[in-house]
Amino acid sequence: DAGITQSPRHKVTETGTPVTLRCHQTENHRYMYWYRQDPGHGLRLIHYSYGVKDTDKGEVSDGYSVSRSKTEDFLLTLESATSSQTSVYFCATTRTEILGASYEQYFGPGTRLTVT
Amino acid sequence: KNQVEQSPQSLIILEGKNCTLQCNYTVSPFSNLRWYKQDTGRGPVSLTIMTFSENTKSNGRYTATLDADTKQSSLHITASQLSDSASYICVVSVNSNSGYALNFGKGTSLLVTP
């Protein structure tokens, strides 16, 4: 698992509340990613980071924001949680550049979020 | 839109038997293709990564093949074990100037029974 931890592992929250998920890595990987996984869908990218304070949007970024103030931490915030954001969230990291390289991507254990 | 299609959606086999999972893709321009194993309640773990020039790659009892001309890949599992029960995800990477370029299939759910 390349030293990736996610917290919390499980969370139940109410609609309209802000929620922050944390990803922590110990491998000093430059690139970090947040995905969501839902039944009937493949993993879908929410946001990614290519360095401290450098982030970009993925295909399902609406309603989410991210921050990366240190190499080892990547935070995902649901600004006002909705029931459609009930999902399993995975963090991932890669060591090197993302374009055209056969890089190894490592995933964290996931966070199961339920929005009621 | 780039697509990665996997088949079958689910599969049940007896312990000790072999099986083959399929992945067809339409993404372009192709960079590499990888197979992941995802155990229930865990994150995906990489099994193999293949570039355009590679036809076959093995990782223990797992063997992946790639035909870049027909845009097809397969994952063959030999002498299955109960621990092979998992979801297997095909991921295709494209070369893109826009940055992130991984395309995930929906996975094949494999159940190995005693």
Side-chain angles (χ1 to χ4, degrees), chain A residues 9 33 35 37 40-43 45 48 90 98-105 107-109, chain B residues 31-32 34 36 38 41-44 46 49 51 89 95-96 98-100 102 104-106:
Chain A
R9 293 294 314 279
Y33 312 80
Y35 294 92
Q37 188 175 42
H41 294 274
L43 283 153
L45 180 69
Y48 69 99
F90 287 99
I98 62 173
L99 296 180
S102 297
Y103 55 88
E104 192 69 64
Q105 187 172 49
F107 285 82
Chain B
S31 175
N32 59 71
R34 57 196 68 208
Y36 286 90
Q38 184 177 20
R42 305 287 295 274
S46 180
I49 302 174
T51 61
I89 303 171
N95 288 319
S96 170
S98 64
Y100 186 80
L102 286 187
F104 288 80
K106 296 179 182 179

Side-chain angles (χ1 to χ4, degrees), chain A residues 53-64:
Chain A
K53 299 191 188 305
D54 293 323
T55 65
D56 205 349
K57 296 179 179 180
E59 65 176 299
V60 291
S61 60
D62 287 348
Y64 301 95

Side-chain angles (χ1 to χ4, degrees), chain A residues 1-7 22-29 31-32 71-74 91-94 105-110, chain B residues 42 45:
Chain A
D1 60 359
I4 302 173
T5 57
Q6 294 183 228
S7 59
R22 179 180 183 243
C23 177
H24 179 79
Q25 55 123 343
T26 60
E27 299 296 319
N28 201 36
H29 286 175
Y31 289 83
M32 298 185 74
T71 297
E72 58 266 34
D73 290 327
F74 193 31
C91 173
T93 72
T94 60
Q105 187 172 49
Y106 301 94
F107 285 82
Chain B
R42 305 287 295 274
V45 174

